[in-house]
Amino acid sequence: AAGPTLRTGIAVMLRRTSMLFRPMVRGLSTAAALPEKPPVPLFGIAGRYTNALYCAAAKNGDLLKVESDLGALAGILQTSKAIKAFTMDPGVSRSEKAKLLVGSLGDAGACNTTKNMVAVLCESGRMKELPTVMKMYATLMSAAKGEVSALITSSHELEEAQMESIRSQIAEISGSDLTKVQIDVKVDPGLLSGYTIEIGDKFVDYSSATQLKKLAVALGL
């Protein structure tokens, strides 16, 4: 059975990780301007839990605090295989899992809305939905703040000059202030050269692989 040592360890890690998210919360010091209802539709089991979490957080004035809490929790699940294994272990009773995780969150200063959500997931045997719930909540908060997510897939690591050019393209495509655009970059050598940009339902392809495929079709190859 998990004991006080694990609970203390989780709480310490949560406190340390949450420090990374405090500047984000201070940057938008009030949730008054954020919508009270989920700004984009979500589906599936995780979607239902996330919608309920957002509505509860809005009602309690905890939208930003829950965002910070979940960011810290996501951080330790990514860095600690032991803690992640504990949260997903079907051999640990639901009540024990809830007691330890909710206690750790409380020790780290998490709000009641976050603790209640984790307790519900534990006690309903839905902890496997937690990673998706955290991602979906982040998506809702980005939409609520008017932020835009962009994914750049490049055939190779991009230099700063190239990134600057691509940022200008993203601003033009999205019609958004770049300060509100969250840009993620990944490398896919299969593109041969060039890159692609995904922004919502928009997809722009500047890769050689696609151009070669088009050429092959045109030539009847």
Side-chain angles (χ1 to χ4, degrees), residues 33-42 50-51 54-55 58 63 136-147:
L34 299 177
E36 295 182 359
K37 295 182 179 180
V40 295
L42 299 176
T50 309
N51 284 330
Y54 185 95
C55 290
L63 285 170
M136 285 184 165
Y137 190 85
T139 297
L140 290 181
M141 289 301 293
S142 291
K145 297 173 186 176
E147 296 173 346

Side-chain angles (χ1 to χ4, degrees), residues 22 35 155 157:
R22 288 179 184 174
S155 60
E157 294 289 341

